[in-house]
Amino acid sequence: MTLSLLQTKFTLIQGDGNDKLSVLPASTTGSLSSIITTSVASSEPDRGDLRDGGVGGGGDDDEHNVVATAAGGGKCAGGGGGGPGGHGREIKQEKWWETTLQISIPFFIAGIGTIGAGIILGRVEARCALDSEIALINFITSRWKVFHHVTELFILVPALLGLKGNLDMCLASRLSTQSNLGNMSSTREIIHMIVGNIALVQVQATVAAFIVSLFAMGVGAAMNGRFLFDHAMLLTASSMFTATSSCFVLDFVLVAVILLSNKFKMNPDNLATPLAASIGDVVSISLLSFIASLLFEHLDTHLWITFVVVACYFILLPFWVFLVFRNKYTRPVLTTGWVPVLSALFISGLGGLVLDKAVEVFKGFVVFQPIINGIGGNLVSVQASKISTMLHQSSIIGIIPPHAKIFEMPWKALFKGVPYAKTARILILMSIPGQVLFIFVADYIHMSESTIGAPFVLSYMLVSLIQVMLLLYIAHIIIHAMWKWKIDPDNSAIPYLTALGDLLGSSLLALAFLFLQSIGHAYGETIEEFGSAIATTMSFSPVDIDLSKNFAPKLA
């Protein structure tokens, strides 16, 4: 690149002793703003000495020194103020308790949602001696007749949930970065950013929902051996309506959260991304059920309504594309943001296959699978958003800043050694009491009493910790690799990470259930074994034992 293209400005900060020249100016990338600065120190070959000396000593001191240097670079470069015409403001240094408090709010909100999802699936499993997908169909069809007649809708559900979460969490990450860069101080810039990002999500949701509906049609036709045109139109209309409407509603909620965070001096990276994951599922399922039922009631007599719905979204698509192309904040994303979203749908599908097989073998698996997957995805989305923000603040895209590298030792990336390690420690430690609380609550509600013991708790906690630490370490590698390859992680990292969270969570939980089964402590069998033992002792059949009345035998 030429100097005119980079618009490069150097800030040299003289270190003490053997410290090298280090520069970490607060800046943005070309894809998000016209301000582009660079770092002289990033070209130094010996970054290990630099981390030990000037820009990092380890742990919290690493973050303090990096933040101070970055802030200083921004000031010396001439400016304050933020926005496209100025330089980034001073990078705020968070106290550990501030980070913990801000993350814990959406973390526990998300936990309640995942417990609810697990309980619903667990109740369905308890009522039907069938696999979870058929049981879920029976559960829902008792309320929404359309799911019984158009079973391809069940293919849409996981795809739409994953699509919605990825699009909205990427929007939250992008806007959180802009807030931390100080680009949300001007009302005009805020409106420009919001309009561009909402238009971008509408474009992505419309196109991706149409592709997902085509996939559901193909799978449904292969499974059922027939193709019904009216059902295909209902699928397309329902998919596009659900994806675009849920994203539109949730985007405004996220914008409000980010603006309030900015106003009250909180870090939106800690709040927005997990909040997007925690409340979006309910909105999506409700909208899909509503529109599919409404269209199905009039399908025989008013099929033309589905044509009108689909046509309206395709007519609106050029308008959204026009808004995105005219917006400097979102223009580059329109051509680069498709591969991560569609790839994440495929990875999540692999996790669905693991779930489908596991529920056939392990009783109670569906109660805890949404918890481990949801919590892991929410925690790693926070870390991904924060790492991406710091990269935007401390370097230019394509250059790894001197305080980090792509492949760090796991200890340095997760506990002490790089600036992001402090947040990783908080997330790992927060997951321990949170997961314990969630599994005890889920078990108590599902079984009407506490049935899990030490083997289950220890096994579950081991696999959940492995999942969280793997996701956090993979996040470090993926985000820095994307940055090196000039891919904005705000637009690409979170879809991969949340999809990997689903795959890792389901696979590791299946291993935990397999281990518990091998040692004779399978979940959900304690009460049944106790009843069988009493029945054998008293010469009664287990069927004749009423466990709800102090195990008193029934009289014939």
Side-chain angles (χ1 to χ4, degrees), residues 42-271:
S42 62
S43 63
E44 293 288 346
D46 188 6
R47 284 187 281 185
D49 294 340
L50 182 60
R51 287 196 302 274
D52 295 335
V55 184
D60 293 348
D61 291 336
D62 270 354
E63 182 163 10
H64 173 76
N65 291 330
V66 169
V67 167
T69 307
K75 291 176 181 177
C76 294
H87 290 84
R89 64 183 175 183
E90 181 177 347
I91 303 172
K92 181 181 177 182
Q93 185 180 353
E94 290 183 22
K95 300 293 185 182
W96 69 267
W97 58 268
E98 292 178 329
T99 303
T100 304
L101 182 62
Q102 292 175 25
I103 294 175
S104 63
I105 297 172
F107 175 75
F108 283 102
I109 292 176
I112 295 172
T114 56
I115 289 173
I119 294 303
I120 290 175
L121 291 177
R123 293 287 173 84
V124 170
E125 181 192 45
R127 292 174 185 175
C128 301
L130 303 170
D131 64 40
S132 64
E133 292 181 358
I134 299 176
L136 187 58
I137 290 174
N138 291 340
F139 180 76
I140 296 179
T141 51
S142 64
R143 290 155 176 79
W144 299 296
K145 184 171 59 174
V146 63
F147 284 88
H148 175 72
H149 294 277
V150 189
T151 55
E152 293 89 349
L153 285 170
F154 287 98
I155 304 173
L156 286 180
V157 172
L160 287 178
L161 294 184
L163 173 67
K164 173 271 317 160
N166 291 333
L167 297 182
D168 290 327
M169 283 195 286
C170 285
L171 175 139
S173 182
R174 285 194 298 269
L175 292 182
S176 297
T177 295
Q178 292 298 319
S179 176
N180 282 307
L181 291 173
N183 294 339
M184 284 191 161
S185 56
S186 166
T187 303
R188 183 175 178 274
E189 286 301 318
I190 291 175
I191 295 175
H192 196 51
M193 249 179 263
I194 292 172
V195 170
N197 276 279
I198 290 178
L200 173 65
V201 172
Q202 288 299 301
V203 172
Q204 292 177 319
T206 301
V207 176
F210 180 71
I211 295 174
V212 166
S213 66
L214 292 178
F215 173 76
M217 292 178 212
V219 174
M223 293 174 60
N224 300 327
R226 57 192 175 90
F227 176 81
L228 298 177
F229 181 75
D230 54 348
H231 286 189
M233 290 304 302
L234 184 144
L235 283 173
T236 306
S238 301
S239 176
M240 297 177 76
F241 177 87
T242 302
T244 55
S245 301
S246 62
C247 286
F248 197 76
V249 172
L250 193 56
D251 288 348
F252 279 100
V253 175
L254 294 176
V255 167
V257 170
I258 292 169
L259 293 178
L260 289 173
S261 302
N262 192 50
K263 180 178 180 180
F264 292 103
K265 309 301 181 185
M266 294 187 293
N267 188 351
D269 281 327
N270 300 332
L271 298 169

Side-chain angles (χ1 to χ4, degrees), residues 217-433:
M217 292 178 212
V219 174
M223 293 174 60
N224 300 327
R226 57 192 175 90
F227 176 81
L228 298 177
F229 181 75
D230 54 348
H231 286 189
M233 290 304 302
L234 184 144
L235 283 173
T236 306
S238 301
S239 176
M240 297 177 76
F241 177 87
T242 302
T244 55
S245 301
S246 62
C247 286
F248 197 76
V249 172
L250 193 56
D251 288 348
F252 279 100
V253 175
L254 294 176
V255 167
V257 170
I258 292 169
L259 293 178
L260 289 173
S261 302
N262 192 50
K263 180 178 180 180
F264 292 103
K265 309 301 181 185
M266 294 187 293
N267 188 351
D269 281 327
N270 300 332
L271 298 169
T273 46
L275 190 62
S278 61
I279 66 177
D281 291 351
V282 176
V283 175
S284 295
I285 289 294
S286 302
L287 286 173
L288 178 62
S289 304
F290 166 75
I291 188 63
S293 298
L294 188 63
L295 292 174
F296 183 75
E297 290 177 3
H298 305 90
L299 195 61
D300 293 333
T301 57
H302 297 81
L303 180 63
W304 60 269
I305 296 178
T306 60
F307 287 93
V308 172
V309 172
V310 174
C312 286
Y313 285 113
F314 278 115
I315 291 172
L316 283 173
L317 187 59
F319 171 72
W320 296 124
V321 172
F322 174 76
L323 290 180
V324 174
F325 268 118
R326 287 180 57 87
N327 193 292
K328 63 187 175 184
Y329 293 103
T330 55
R331 187 185 305 118
V333 187
L334 193 59
T335 56
T336 60
W338 295 103
V339 174
V341 172
L342 299 178
S343 300
L345 293 178
F346 173 75
I347 298 172
S348 296
L350 296 179
L353 293 176
V354 175
L355 172 63
D356 182 60
K357 298 300 181 183
V359 295
E360 296 176 359
V361 180
F362 306 118
K363 181 179 180 180
F365 185 87
V366 292
V367 177
F368 303 99
Q369 186 261 357
I371 298 175
I372 191 171
N373 287 0
I375 298 305
N378 291 339
L379 292 178
V380 76
S381 69
V382 174
Q383 180 75 336
S385 186
K386 291 175 78 71
I387 294 177
S388 180
T389 293
M390 185 167 286
L391 287 173
H392 280 288
Q393 291 173 322
S394 61
S395 183
I396 65 170
I397 196 163
I399 299 177
I400 302 294
H403 60 265
K405 54 184 180 180
I406 296 177
F407 294 100
E408 287 281 5
M409 295 297 293
W411 174 263
K412 288 185 177 181
L414 300 181
F415 297 101
K416 187 174 183 181
V418 297
Y420 334 110
K422 183 177 77 171
T423 305
R425 290 198 305 268
I426 292 173
L427 294 173
I428 292 171
L429 292 175
M430 183 181 294
S431 70
I432 297 173

